[in-house]
Amino acid sequence: MALATRVTRMLGIAHPIVQGGMMWVGRAELASAVSNAGGLGMLTALTQPTPDDLRREIERCRTLTDKPFGVNLTILPSVTPPPYVEYRRAIIDSGVTIVETAGHKPQEHVEDFKAHGITVIHKCTAVRHALSAERMGVDIISIDGFECAGHPGEDDIPGLILIPAAADKVTIPMLASGGFADGRGLVAALTLGAEGINMGTRFCATVEAPIHDAVKQLIVANDERATNLIFRRFHNTGRVAKTSVSDQVVEISARPDAVFEDIRPLVSGAKGRTALETGDLDAGLVWAGQVQGLIHDVPTCRQLIERIVDDAQNLIAERLSGYISQGVA
């Protein structure tokens, strides 16, 4: 028995499970493993130093899987932004058929992707943003609850409320993101109105994730309380794993006269990459969500996806059906 939804049909995948596009993590090794296991793997465009490097990574992924995979393009406001148009062109020219967009004013990119027949997933942290993206013409919404790693927005609405609130108003398919790690979460997401799940932190703790084992073991060892919210005073809230570095960021940011320059040396992307690749947890930030409390091992992507789907099917067939009253004799 398969869990077939509009998401699986639209993306051409076996299971309604999508890997989040994570900086420094969304490489061909992980994306291909997720896709080969029946989910949708996702390369992260800006992990690659140049658009040409992205072209090569897309081709490398194709040598590792013949299944569908996507590319994440996150647009962030910056004084010196990366060449987004060139990255977009690399994605289009490479024949990628699925793109995940996120971030600031994506309309130009969405319109170009759609003009080339590409299926667009857009990540949102609020119902109003989801409705805006739907009007923009995206195909699937990925709705991020406050539990998620990365940037959960400024509304602080957890998935248990945000997912059904969005489902009440959005007509296109939705993925639920933030706090998902197992079959229970998948069943909950489907019940709340989503048609699949998007997982980031859970896929970091897999054999194929191209990060140091010390980071994977940190995620396994941490519980649901082991995150810090950073950048709150700068109205760009981010959720990261609780480490010595993120503790320092929180402490410095709490000072009445703190400005972003005070924490910039601690939060650079380059230092975060060093932490992920070397396992030096004092080197930089590790982005992870509250779902750490549900992660207890480091399986292969295939083992993880099969376990999630099997558990979800068993829950639906056995436990949930048992709650339906057959009447009183």
Side-chain angles (χ1 to χ4, degrees), residues 45-291:
L46 298 183
T47 290
Q48 301 303 317
T50 70
D52 282 340
D53 287 309
L54 175 58
R55 288 184 171 92
R56 286 188 282 272
E57 189 72 357
I58 291 168
E59 288 309 308
R60 188 165 78 95
C61 198
R62 287 201 173 107
T63 68
L64 299 173
T65 184
D66 59 359
K67 301 293 194 297
F69 64 89
V71 177
N72 165 280
L73 183 64
T74 297
I75 303 98
L76 298 173
S78 172
V79 176
T80 56
Y84 289 118
V85 173
E86 294 177 31
Y87 277 98
R88 184 178 82 216
R89 179 50 53 189
I91 293 168
I92 293 170
D93 290 348
S94 296
V96 172
T97 60
I98 301 166
V99 168
E100 178 187 64
T101 56
H104 189 65
K105 296 183 178 179
Q107 184 159 356
E108 168 193 345
H109 306 286
V110 169
E111 289 176 353
D112 200 12
F113 288 136
K114 293 298 298 176
H116 287 85
I118 294 173
T119 298
V120 177
I121 304 167
H122 186 68
K123 291 182 73 67
C124 304
T125 60
V127 175
R128 61 189 183 281
H129 298 154
L131 291 171
S132 176
E134 182 175 26
R135 290 191 297 270
M136 199 181 301
V138 308
D139 300 284
I140 298 171
I141 296 295
S142 182
I143 194 81
D144 263 12
F146 186 54
E147 307 91 332
C148 72
H151 294 281
E154 305 303 312
D155 294 339
D156 298 3
I157 309 298
L160 191 61
I161 303 299
L162 184 61
I163 298 163
D168 284 345
K169 296 184 178 180
V170 172
T171 62
I172 59 177
M174 288 197 324
L175 292 163
S177 182
F180 295 97
D182 55 28
R184 297 172 298 180
L186 176 54
V187 173
L190 297 175
T191 302
L192 292 171
E195 298 188 47
I197 55 175
N198 180 303
M199 302 192 305
T201 304
R202 174 66 268 201
F203 276 123
C204 286
T206 57
V207 170
E208 295 91 348
I211 58 179
H212 197 279
D213 189 60
V215 179
K216 299 177 187 182
Q217 294 306 321
L218 172 75
I219 293 170
V220 171
N222 277 347
D223 65 17
E224 64 278 4
R225 301 168 298 169
T227 66
N228 277 321
L229 291 173
I230 60 174
F231 307 154
R232 298 231 84 181
R233 72 180 300 152
F234 310 114
H235 307 291
N236 187 30
T237 299
R239 187 182 297 281
V240 297
K242 184 175 177 61
T243 62
S244 63
V245 180
S246 63
D247 283 346
Q248 289 180 66
V249 173
V250 171
E251 180 183 351
I252 294 170
S253 300
R255 297 171 185 168
D257 58 347
V259 295
F260 187 76
E261 290 304 315
D262 296 332
I263 61 172
R264 185 185 294 275
L266 296 168
V267 304
S268 77
K271 289 188 174 181
R273 180 179 185 177
T274 297
L276 291 178
E277 294 181 352
T278 69
D280 180 359
L281 302 176
D282 295 323
L285 295 174
V286 174
W287 295 78
Q290 292 180 320
V291 75

